[in-house]
Amino acid sequence: MADLLTPQKTERGWIIPMTPEMAHEAEVPEGSLLVIYLGQEGVSAEILPPATEEVKDSVRRSIEKFGPAFAEMKRLGD
């Protein structure tokens, strides 16, 4: 359970996978993500719904098509 709430840091905020209990309480689909932003104005949050099957299929096709190029970019680094 602790792994579920480990935020992933991005340039603009933190991404936290919502637990089923959190999603139920917020009345959003399970698998949604909570994005937290910190700024001088204070704290704000956004809920992102889970990816649709169409988006997942698009990502799979891109990985199949460009997988070797992605692996080479990862190997070379920034």
Side-chain angles (χ1 to χ4, degrees), residues 52-67 70:
T52 64
E53 286 305 314
E54 181 181 359
V55 169
K56 290 178 184 179
D57 288 341
S58 176
V59 169
R60 284 187 203 104
R61 287 192 305 274
S62 294
I63 291 171
E64 288 172 6
K65 184 174 183 179
F66 301 110
F70 294 152

